[in-house]
Amino acid sequence: MLKLVGVVLISIFLCLLLACSLSARKSLSPKAFPIGANYEKYRHLWDKPAKPLKPITIIESLDNLPVYIKHPAESNSPDTYVGVLWGAHPMGQYLYYLAGDMSKTSDGHLNLNDKEFTTLSLVETSFEDDVIRVYLHDGIEAQKRADENPITEGKLQNGKWHKIEDLFNSYTDNGYFRAGDASLNDIFSDDIPGVSRLEFYRSNRGYKIDLIYNYLREPKKTSEFRRLLTVRVEHSSKEPNFRALVAHFETIVHEYGNMPYVPVSGSVRM
């Protein structure tokens, strides 16, 4: 009888331990809470007052670009889009770095709908399955196209813009004449595990430059999730300072490009 009681108690203990383990993994899940069709019910998770964002530093080489968010790569409490950005679609992103010259809305959000702002620099991660699927299709295809382009970062820095245009095949894309893609992988050492590229556009408003770094980290433990890291520097103007943009891009990729896996939670998606 005592043996039976002991077996029962051990079974109960093991069940409780398993339940606690599963509960802990769920509570630490980085997956976003879906607001979507239940917006009215859960709008309190998105419609929060803007955070009192003030520049914590500036980037002098980019016309004193203000930096609003700068978390260490190992931080377990990055920001999300909630209370920070206006005009952005929340898809479960975790923000580690954010700089830009956009204006603020009347309630204090940084306004990505501001048509006058020129530069955005951000570092974010996503654990969402559909976001990762899009990257595995569109992002990988764009990187492949860039890797096959003979234009190098050195040629872009030393050339003149009208000369560079002659080297790309132009085609219409989203209102711009897209001039092409170019790989930037050669500017990083082997300890930076991701891939990077330049996307270059031109229009009657000037030039648009996107510098993009992606790293899809596969889980190394059962408690981990697939994580897509994105570093992006976007700039639009008639006379881009390409050298300064690439230097800034290199700096933040070196800082965040091989960030450790740290459990995070609390993001939302629409």
Side-chain angles (χ1 to χ4, degrees):
M1 183 66 179
L2 289 176
K3 287 184 177 180
L4 179 60
V5 172
V7 170
V8 171
L9 289 175
I10 291 174
S11 298
I12 293 174
F13 174 76
L14 291 175
C15 288
L16 288 173
L17 188 64
L18 178 60
C20 289
S21 176
L22 291 174
S23 175
R25 189 176 191 274
K26 184 177 180 181
S27 65
L28 291 175
S29 172
K31 300 291 187 178
F33 183 85
I35 297 178
N38 297 313
Y39 177 74
E40 290 302 324
K41 182 178 180 180
Y42 297 113
R43 65 182 301 169
H44 63 283
L45 297 175
W46 170 244
D47 289 345
K48 291 186 176 182
K51 296 184 177 183
L53 294 170
K54 294 182 179 180
I56 56 178
T57 187
I58 60 172
I59 306 169
E60 294 183 4
S61 62
L62 298 179
D63 295 326
N64 295 324
L65 189 74
V67 178
Y68 290 99
I69 292 173
K70 193 177 189 299
H71 294 289
E74 63 275 10
S75 173
N76 64 354
S77 56
D79 281 273
T80 66
Y81 281 16
V82 177
V84 176
L85 293 173
W86 184 261
H89 193 65
M91 289 292 290
Q93 302 94 331
Y94 292 93
L95 274 172
Y96 286 82
Y97 183 93
L98 178 65
D101 59 354
M102 68 288 289
S103 62
K104 290 186 178 182
T105 62
S106 58
D107 63 354
H109 290 84
L110 296 174
N111 185 13
L112 292 183
N113 289 332
D114 179 4
K115 295 181 179 179
E116 300 299 321
F117 91 91
T118 65
T119 308
L120 172 69
S121 176
L122 64 79
V123 178
E124 63 183 18
T125 60
S126 175
F127 299 82
E128 302 303 295
D129 295 335
D130 55 345
V131 173
I132 291 174
R133 281 197 300 270
V134 170
Y135 164 71
L136 288 174
H137 184 271
D138 297 351
I140 293 296
E141 182 63 30
Q143 187 66 44
K144 179 182 178 182
R145 187 170 58 242
D147 291 343
E148 293 173 349
N149 195 312
I151 307 306
T152 65
E153 175 262 346
K155 290 181 181 177
L156 289 169
Q157 282 194 356
N158 296 323
K160 294 184 179 180
W161 288 110
H162 70 277
K163 293 293 184 182
I164 292 172
E165 289 184 34
D166 294 340
L167 298 173
F168 288 97
N169 294 320
S170 298
Y171 58 94
T172 302
D173 181 38
N174 295 330
Y176 288 89
F177 287 101
R178 183 168 181 167
D181 312 85
S183 175
L184 295 179
N185 289 333
D186 289 343
I187 67 177
F188 297 111
S189 57
D190 292 339
D191 60 338
I192 302 297
V195 292
S196 58
R197 67 185 185 275
L198 159 74
E199 294 185 357
F200 174 87
Y201 309 75
R202 61 185 174 87
S203 75
N204 55 5
R205 291 177 291 174
Y207 300 97
K208 185 174 188 297
I209 295 170
D210 291 350
L211 302 165
I212 303 165
Y213 171 87
N214 291 122
Y215 173 41
L216 180 60
R217 184 188 184 279
E218 298 292 345
K220 294 179 172 58
K221 301 177 182 178
T222 56
S223 60
E224 296 179 352
F225 295 79
R226 244 180 170 188
R227 183 191 70 190
L228 177 63
L229 166 66
T230 299
V231 177
R232 180 183 291 269
V233 176
E234 302 178 5
H235 177 82
S236 299
S237 71
K238 292 184 177 180
E239 296 182 4
N241 186 340
F242 188 75
R243 191 181 297 274
L245 289 165
V246 171
H248 169 67
F249 180 67
E250 286 185 77
T251 297
I252 55 176
V253 169
H254 279 295
E255 184 169 354
Y256 294 98
N258 197 14
M259 66 163 57
Y261 187 95
V262 179
V264 293
S265 62
S267 65
V268 299
R269 59 178 297 162
M270 300 298 283

